[in-house]
Amino acid sequence: MRHHRTSRGWLALGLLAVAGPALSACDFSVTNPGPVEDKFLDSLTARRALVTGARRALATILGDQGGVLYWGAAITYELNPAGSTGSYGIPTEVQAGRLRKEENTWSDAQVARWVAEDAIQRFKARSFPEDSLFAALYLWAGYANRLLGENFCDAVFDGGPKEDFKNFFTRAEGHFTEALRIANALTINATNKANLVNAALAGRASVRLYLATYNNDATKRAEAVADAAPVPNTFRWQMPYFDQDQTQYNGLYWAQAGTPYRAHTEWATYYEDYYRTTRDPRVPWDTTNLRGDAAVAKFAGYPNVVNSRVPFWPQAKYKARNASVNLSSGWEMRLIEAEAALMAGDTTTALARMNLRRANLGLPPINAGGSLAGAWTQLKRERMLELWLEARRLGDLRRWSVANTPGQTFDGVWVTGEPSPRETMTNPTQRALCFPIGLNEEQTNPNLKKP
Amino acid sequence: MTHHSTDNRWGWRSAGRASGGGLVLLLALGLTALVPALLRAQTGTVQGRVTEAGGGPIAGAQVMVVGTNLGTTTGADGRFTLLVPVGQRTLRVLAIGFKVGQVEVNVTPGGTTTANAELTRSVLSLDEVVVTGTGGAATKRELGSSVSAINLAAEVKDPPASMDQLLQARTAGLNVIQTGASAGTGAQIRLRGVVSVNQSNQPIIYIDGIRVRSEGYARNAPPPGADFTGRGNNVQASPLNDINPADIERIEIIKGAAAATLYGTEASAGVIQIFTKKGARGQRPRWNVEVGQGLATARPFGPWYNRYLNLKPRDSVTVSSSTGQLKDAQVQLFQKVSSSGQCYPTPPTDASGAPLPCNWVRNGYRQRYSGSVSGGFDQFQYFVSGSWEDDQGILPQDNERRLSTRGNFSFDISDKLRLEWNTGFGTNRIRNTPSGNNAQGLILNVYRWERNYRSSSNPFVIDSLLNQSITTEINRLVTGGAAYYTPWPWFTNRFTIGYDFAQQENRGLRPFGFVSQPLGRIQDLQAKFSLLTFDYAGNMDYTLTPSLKSTFTFGGQSITTEEVSTNAFGADFAGPGEPVVSSAASYIADEDRLRVINAGFFFQNVFKLKERYFLTGGVRFDGNSAFGESLGLQAYPKVSASYVVSDESFWPSRLGELKLRAALGYAGRAPGAFDKLKTWTPVPSGGISAFLPNEVGDTLIGPERTREIEVGADAGLLSNRLRVEATYYNRKTSDALMNVRQIPSLGFLNSRTSNVGQIGSDGLELSLNLTVFDNPKFGWDVGGNLYTNRSRVLSLCKGDVCAVPFAAQGGWIQGPDTLSDGTVIYFPIAGAKGIKIKNKDEIAPPDTACVMGNTRAEWEKNGKQLCANDGQSIFGPQQPTSIVQFTSTLRLPGNITLSGRGEWQTGGYVYDAASGNALSRSVRWPTCVRAQGILDQGGTQNDLTAWERHACVPANHNFDIHWYKADFFKIRDVTLSVPLGTLFRSVESATLRASVQNFWRWYNSDLKILDPELTDRDSLSDQSRTMSEHVPAPATLTVSLRLTF
């Protein structure tokens, strides 16, 4: 039987008929707080946060877990593994001297570069004023590129093809030059201005030294010396770390802070005996009665090792979660001057520059035994000590290896009382001298994909 | 006049569909305004008895007056009484396991009419009414898709204490995976496996028509730092477990898009709808009181030499004395295993010399008390319940205390209008022992023995880690009401409004003086979750011809989800005492806020020819605040058909019943709230704000669309002694939301979520239930479910845009490979990717090369290896590919029943991170006893097997080797139920029940350490099956007494 539809039925149907269109006009726009939309970054008021972002991104790749400071130190025996292999530990691959492309190191380093350079483009496109913020932004871009050049095997920019890693230095040089130009034009507090100027000069001097080494370029060498000269001995440009939360900690310190990680030690490094003997304040470490936080199989059977647990003698250069890390310093400039002199065969000037620093520290002067190679050995050791745990060692070892400079290095596993190291950078295997392009980049960048 | 309306008040309790809230509210108000005119018709009394044909009374049968909202249920004696408007009326009588009955009555004013009904058995229950996914009420006979209905009163009777346990091994296609032993931990629930690689795979949940939270609560964790909230206890509580199973009348489960289309954008992973109990009209107050006592106990597992975990080895590891491969001390360590009841080596004591507990793992005491009362008058019915339970847990600091209350009230304003208001409120207080991959956790440090973070296996030293607290408090309110209005017998309306609100506090404290953080730390998370539901659905029945009828259903729904959480973290207290976050020398906070609106409307029509041919067509339109620009409304169509063959005149009745069905439907999953936007993350940097790249965003993003086809048959054979349900399903998700990895040198590291690619799965569900014998004294029913699932990534591309293979949900997503001969090789969704050592038992270098070959023949010759694009192997999927469930119920004289459920799973893989973490740190580990002994004796890795060289030599250790088959069989439940009759005066019935759950198991021998169901997943919503430093879920034993007054 068919039902007779009443007026109420039609009413219901009518209501239904308007329901659909009404719903389709519903406003589904919801603005959730939290992440910031890209368009808001074009504001003048967003500049400081962008510049600080560039700094923080560089701080992360420099000093966080898996950063080039920590793992570079592990590769080059600036410290030895004391246990943990996971969080804040040293992976077994790195312990064995291998740097894997599966890690995030490449990606994080590229973010540091890209964030700074993207902000530069944003600032330029919107004609933002060339003030101290802009100068600082160029500095972070320069130091990010220097970090990449010093520590990575190849270069890639913005999804482009693989390039010579030295292009990072060239790029850094350009950024430091721009920073210098802007800083020199600033009318601000003299101290602040001097800091910006010196940071730009020091950064540019360091990358010009690299370019001079790799290309045997006398002009660059001279430019490096010219940049270094005005920078006073006591100047330091540092990457700050903060104890606000764990992501802002100095990761190298935190990995040994015993909460609960005691992941690295100075036991059996070159610095163990050196510091015990000389008390050189550049490479301090502390003695404890503790052992590392887990077993380290490769040290089984070593003296003073129990159940593969090694003595926990942590570095004491960074003694707090918020310990800053040098990016450039006046004393590095003196060593740049010394190295440039050695490249020109001038051992006298080189030793003078090195001993200037040693005198400042109250250490006895060094001599080269009358040979250029001896002077290079001293230079290499002084840089090893001066730039200890500053993410610079890997870059030094690679450039000296590529340029085949004379002189000896001391990186290895040294056991007290033994005349030679049990391990070196080449024995039992050749240890990595640079971080590879990340697998992520290889797999996503169409310019790198294999056909 | 006989009026064959198929809808009734029973069918209207759920069915969520679409509507924009405000409009629907206006509609409801309009309808409600009609109420006064409809009140108070003249009535008479109808009373009667419902019995089985040739048998006894049927309790719990539903008796409804067709064309009205009136109805009631029969008592234990099968009797019912109902006030019915005068006139010629049709009573419809429904009972589980019986065919529908109809009785015509003539009701006179103030008179009493008798109407008895005799029902015949029907194993298929084709006239059983379901409402989930159907728009309105529908009988099973008209459904083209499969709907699993669990009628607790008829099938479960004495439900276990938790929903997770209730659902385990209950129906084909439903997989409930236990997690760990930690108090309060929830289970992962999957319906037909994986449906999304980017979004949640947890089904959505409704209670009495109200959408409620289905995703896990915020995970509790100790306070290692605001950025490290993932560390710690690593378990999530499940909102599903807030529901007291004793309050449930029945559960309906629809497993995929074919049935869930009318739920739209968020329903592709299926829908679970729970109906709570109601009072019945004319029922005197019925009281139920239940007391349950029990214990939880760990089953053998683990790094077995940890004597203080009170664990025995699962497999004894033979140490060959002849080879001398272990040093004496190590032999002693490994061999002093549970040899006596004494603690090893001597009972541990604390600093004052007082004895410590001999073991950390204990038998946890469980107690539960619950009660309810239900009843009703002509115009008001009620169900009120409360329960309290206290589960001690098997770990030393674990405890869960849960209070649950419920009040369900129904008001029959008239025979045309019925109002219901249901409210559940509960609190849950959880304390946890620090566990998981947590360096300050008890379990991790026990597992790693003397090579742990305390550098000691001394129980006293490890015990110091318990000087920390991890607590979770959850308060949950689910409340809502529904109005059922039937102005004419052919037109019914239901309006539902509901609100689900949960408030959670997670607090972790390492006090001043904590062993490895002497100045202490604290973390406190405050979270609020809410879901607001507006829902309207209307049904109109038409009789087009005497044999052709039609039901038109329409409606709308709006769901607004809000989540707010604030997490505060502080470090370094000035001294002892009870600190708050601001007591710390430094503290920091973060906050998350999220609001998502989903709304839509639907239309559906069912054509019914001769009550045996059914054709259904429908469409749902949805909008969502997460959709990208200019996306508009998304349409999800469906069509289904069913054919009750056995109702044909040519069908010999001796063959029983047979129904054929087929369905095709679409449903979706919305993207994340921020996925459409290019965003940056504001972060602090020394007190200054900083921006870092977050998401690239996809302005055109929309929902992924899952199309599902179901074909199946339901049969009742052997004189209705054998019930068979068979379903083949095939689902394909197009516009699948994939994680499109970004080029790192372009700055954004987070993958972009975009609609590229396709995934699919198919499988079979077979359910058999056989009554072996059934007589007044003895009965034996056996049954089983078979479920298979083959999941595949069909494509990672859409047009020219392709996603690079990527990691997601703990596994690997890779598109198909095409061999040189054109053979297409598909990869499982979220596959277990790692290094497969093909010669693992040989004393030889590991052969880890993954080779597929160029042709199908070569591929088969190479063992059908699946090779990831980075050269590693895909072991298989993480989720099982086959599940077989067994049930058996034996009824003995005195109605004593003994029932059991078992479950076998195979085809999935689980990642053993606990082994990887330990072995990479040179920890002595059961699977490396032989190798470590050889190395200790001066041997080299050349003396080791290929597997040992990768696993047991730390310098070579590779985490990617620790995938294992997760095959297992478990006895999920064995329950003995003993009716005690009337124990004392005024007791209507008493039942004593003893139940054992997950007590016995078998699992794959390769997996020597932990339980394959032990997982440490990031959330309940994904596929990851990773076990870390946890204790497997315990077996439970419960004895309960239930009294009905």
Side-chain angles (χ1 to χ4, degrees), chain A residues 1-9 12-13 15-16 18-24 26-30 32-41 46 48-50 52-57 60 83-88 92-93 96 98 100 102 104 106-108 110-111 113-115 118 122 156-160 242-249 254 257-262 291-298 307-309 321 439-441 443-446 449, chain B residues 1 3 18-21 23 27 34 38 224-228 231 439-440 450-455 488 490-491 516-517 521 540-546 552 554-557 569 571-572 586-588 593-601 603 623-626 633 673-674 676-694 741-749 804-805 812 869-870 917 920-922 954-960:
Chain A
M1 169 186 153
R2 192 177 184 85
H3 291 285
H4 178 66
R5 184 174 290 127
T6 69
S7 57
R8 286 176 183 157
L13 281 178
L15 286 170
L16 170 69
V18 299
L23 276 173
S24 66
C26 276
D27 182 7
F28 290 111
S29 62
V30 172
N32 282 297
V36 177
E37 288 189 51
D38 184 76
K39 60 187 179 187
F40 296 128
L41 271 57
R48 177 175 295 277
L50 280 169
T52 311
R55 184 185 75 187
R56 176 158 169 167
T60 297
S84 229
T85 57
S87 301
Y88 286 94
T92 52
E93 294 275 347
R98 300 188 291 272
R100 302 196 323 149
E102 287 81 0
N104 292 326
W106 167 269
S107 298
D108 289 344
Q110 282 287 349
V111 169
R113 179 195 63 78
W114 185 88
V115 167
D118 178 71
R122 195 184 293 263
V156 173
F157 296 99
D158 303 338
F242 306 98
D243 56 12
Q244 203 172 10
D245 73 287
Q246 204 159 303
T247 60
Q248 299 182 69
Y249 291 174
W254 193 239
T259 57
Y261 305 112
R262 300 185 301 276
R291 295 193 173 273
D293 63 27
V296 183
K298 80 171 186 177
N307 279 336
S308 298
R309 306 293 287 262
R321 297 176 299 198
L439 186 62
N440 230 352
E441 184 84 32
Q443 292 182 337
T444 57
N445 184 339
K449 282 182 184 175
Chain B
M1 180 184 77
H3 185 60
S19 168
L23 185 67
L27 179 59
L34 301 173
L38 302 168
D227 60 312
F228 251 54
R231 294 262 160 176
Q440 319 281 17
E450 88 289 353
R451 298 187 176 189
N452 57 18
Y453 286 108
R454 303 308 313 149
S455 302
W488 303 280
W490 56 272
F491 184 31
S516 65
Q517 287 162 344
R521 295 186 150 212
M540 289 189 279
D541 294 321
Y542 298 93
T543 300
L544 302 173
T545 70
F552 178 65
F554 56 93
Q557 184 186 56
F569 166 74
D572 302 350
S586 64
Y587 47 93
I588 191 171
R593 287 178 177 270
L594 196 65
R595 186 165 184 256
V596 176
I597 299 173
N598 190 88
F601 56 95
F603 306 96
N624 188 293
S625 59
L633 295 175
F674 293 102
K676 64 183 176 187
L677 302 172
K678 182 177 184 180
T679 57
W680 294 65
T681 304
V683 295
S685 181
I688 304 173
S689 288
F691 290 134
L692 290 176
N694 184 31
R741 287 160 59 187
Q742 299 300 292
I743 302 171
S745 60
L746 284 172
F748 283 78
L749 298 187
V804 176
W812 192 245
N869 66 331
D870 63 358
N917 292 336
S920 72
R921 291 167 171 82
S922 309
N956 298 340
H957 182 265
N958 197 313
F959 281 87
D960 296 326

Side-chain angles (χ1 to χ4, degrees), chain B residues 473-696:
Chain B
E473 294 189 8
I474 299 168
N475 299 317
R476 178 116 183 261
L477 173 72
V478 178
T479 186
Y484 303 92
Y485 178 48
T486 309
W488 303 280
W490 56 272
F491 184 31
T492 56
N493 300 271
R494 187 213 58 222
F495 172 69
T496 306
I497 181 171
Y499 187 57
D500 176 12
F501 178 78
Q503 186 180 44
Q504 181 181 11
E505 180 183 22
N506 289 349
R507 192 170 180 85
L509 171 65
R510 292 175 183 165
F512 186 87
F514 182 69
V515 61
S516 65
Q517 287 162 344
L519 297 182
R521 295 186 150 212
I522 190 169
Q523 179 165 315
D524 192 272
L525 171 83
Q526 301 275 351
K528 291 190 296 184
F529 313 99
S530 69
L531 271 164
L532 179 63
T533 304
F534 291 99
D535 189 313
Y536 167 77
N539 268 20
M540 289 189 279
D541 294 321
Y542 298 93
T543 300
L544 302 173
T545 70
S547 58
L548 178 61
K549 297 167 188 166
S550 164
T551 299
F552 178 65
T553 306
F554 56 93
Q557 184 186 56
S558 153
I559 304 286
T560 302
T561 307
E562 291 192 336
E563 298 188 9
V564 179
S565 68
T566 307
N567 195 5
F569 166 74
D572 302 350
F573 306 126
E578 279 293 321
V580 293
V581 172
S582 53
S583 308
S586 64
Y587 47 93
I588 191 171
D590 58 47
E591 179 190 24
D592 288 307
R593 287 178 177 270
L594 196 65
R595 186 165 184 256
V596 176
I597 299 173
N598 190 88
F601 56 95
F602 69 89
F603 306 96
Q604 175 185 277
N605 202 82
V606 184
F607 293 101
K608 310 169 186 179
L609 180 61
K610 298 179 179 177
E611 285 296 315
R612 54 181 179 270
Y613 306 97
F614 300 90
L615 178 64
T616 303
V619 62
R620 159 110 185 194
F621 298 92
D622 254 351
N624 188 293
S625 59
F627 291 175
E629 295 168 3
S630 307
L631 203 69
L633 295 175
Q634 291 290 298
Y636 303 98
K638 69 178 246 186
V639 61
S640 67
S642 76
Y643 174 29
V644 184
V645 184
S646 53
D647 280 1
E648 295 283 9
S649 57
F650 61 76
W651 185 263
S653 60
R654 67 177 185 280
L655 293 182
E657 297 174 296
L658 176 65
K659 175 190 146 186
L660 305 177
R661 53 185 160 78
L664 162 67
Y666 289 80
R669 271 292 192 203
F674 293 102
D675 288 342
K676 64 183 176 187
L677 302 172
K678 182 177 184 180
T679 57
W680 294 65
T681 304
V683 295
S685 181
I688 304 173
S689 288
F691 290 134
L692 290 176
N694 184 31
E695 304 275 358
V696 174

Side-chain angles (χ1 to χ4, degrees), chain B residues 68-85:
Chain B
T68 73
N69 286 314
L70 300 176
T72 189
T73 55
T74 58
D77 56 0
R79 295 190 182 279
F80 70 93
T81 302
L82 199 57
L83 273 183
V84 178

Side-chain angles (χ1 to χ4, degrees), chain B residues 944-987:
Chain B
L944 307 182
T945 67
W947 185 86
E948 289 169 337
R949 293 182 198 194
H950 256 323
C952 309
V953 180
N956 298 340
H957 182 265
N958 197 313
F959 281 87
D960 296 326
I961 65 172
H962 292 290
W963 285 101
Y964 298 95
K965 285 183 179 175
D967 299 354
F968 70 85
F969 176 78
K970 290 190 179 184
I971 299 291
R972 293 298 196 189
D973 179 83
V974 175
T975 298
L976 176 68
S977 183
V978 182
L980 301 178
T982 53
L983 280 180
F984 47 87
R985 192 175 173 184
S986 77
V987 171

